[in-house]
Amino acid sequence: MILVLACDRATPGNRVSVDAEGRPVVHYRFTDAVARSLARGTRASARIFFGAGALRVHAPLARPPEFHATEWERIDDRIRAEHFLPGTIPVSAAHLMGGCGMGGSAADSVTDAWGRVHGLPWLRVADSSLFPDALQINPYLTVMALADRAAQAIRQDAGALLDGSGAA
Ligand SMILES: Cc1cc2nc3c(=O)[nH]c(=O)nc-3n(C[C@H](O)[C@H](O)[C@H](O)COP(=O)(O)OP(=O)(O)OC[C@H]3O[C@@H](n4cnc5c(N)ncnc54)[C@H](O)[C@@H]3O)c2cc1C
């Protein structure tokens, strides 16, 4: 199996809201750009498999999805972004990012550059939700670096927070 990772970008409609019971609600729509990049990745994967000697390939974005080596020249017109109909093809997300993005002020973000929530200095964010947009690479190291940065700010602000005078 080849895992095709598509990079989405932050779009205003894709967000987390909170319902009347205080539960988080995820609003997410795939963009045409994501569907196109999934199709491109699937075509490349089919070529890699046939190049490696595969006799059959299962390509979720092909119609029908089963592909024989004798048909490899038809990869481009069989594997298409239009076949990406949400709910019909299994898609998962292991690199969840954003939702409490860092930025300059409450006008454009949720936290400052240290994970302090604007207007609530005692409330901190220290995980991948700090990303203002998709990282386009595996996020783990950056998440750990941001968590360390948030910890530095907590240590720095501790005195002010504890004596109630607020963060630096
Ligand atoms: C299958 C898979 C493969 C991956 N492979 C890679 C890779 O190869 N390279 C890479 O860079 N990244 C990879 N990632 C992504 C990476 O693991 C995540 O981006 C990273 O772990 C996110 O860190 P986080 O601190 O934001 O959240 P998490 O690591 O998810 O940490 C959140 C923690 O909060 C805990 N928690 C949740 N709710 C509560 C609660 N109410 N009270 C208390 N604790 C709570 C959870 O148990 C968890 O321990 C992969 C992820 C998955 C799922």
Side-chain angles (χ1 to χ4, degrees):
M1 184 178 80
I2 290 180
L3 207 53
V4 174
L5 283 96
C7 295
D8 53 353
R9 301 307 306 262
T11 56
N14 290 349
R15 56 193 305 117
V16 180
S17 66
V18 179
D19 70 12
E21 275 81 46
R23 291 176 305 218
V25 181
V26 176
H27 306 268
Y28 190 88
R29 286 264 175 283
F30 291 97
T31 60
D32 292 346
V34 167
R36 283 195 301 276
S37 63
L38 286 171
R40 231 181 4 257
T42 307
R43 287 195 286 268
S45 305
R47 287 197 167 88
I48 290 167
F49 280 135
F50 286 134
L55 300 175
R56 281 177 304 144
V57 164
H58 178 86
L61 286 175
R63 290 290 172 273
E66 181 106 335
F67 236 106
H68 291 273
T70 52
E71 306 167 282
W72 74 269
E73 282 165 335
R74 300 196 51 220
I75 283 177
D76 289 338
D77 51 280
R78 283 269 305 273
I79 301 177
R80 309 180 68 81
E82 301 86 271
H83 298 153
F84 179 70
L85 302 173
T88 64
I89 293 177
V91 179
S92 64
H95 298 165
L96 304 180
M97 301 175 208
C100 293
M102 299 169 111
S105 74
D108 66 359
S109 56
V110 174
T111 81
D112 68 6
W114 294 86
R116 303 182 190 99
V117 174
H118 298 304
L120 302 170
W122 42 268
L123 184 56
R124 306 299 167 105
V125 178
D127 70 359
S128 59
S129 52
L130 284 168
F131 294 177
D133 203 342
L135 201 62
Q136 307 221 353
I137 55 164
N138 301 46
Y140 197 78
L141 214 51
T142 310
V143 175
M144 297 305 122
L146 287 172
D148 186 64
R149 186 176 166 82
Q152 283 178 40
I154 292 169
R155 194 172 47 225
Q156 194 181 300
D157 300 344
L161 287 169
L162 291 171
D163 71 16
S165 61

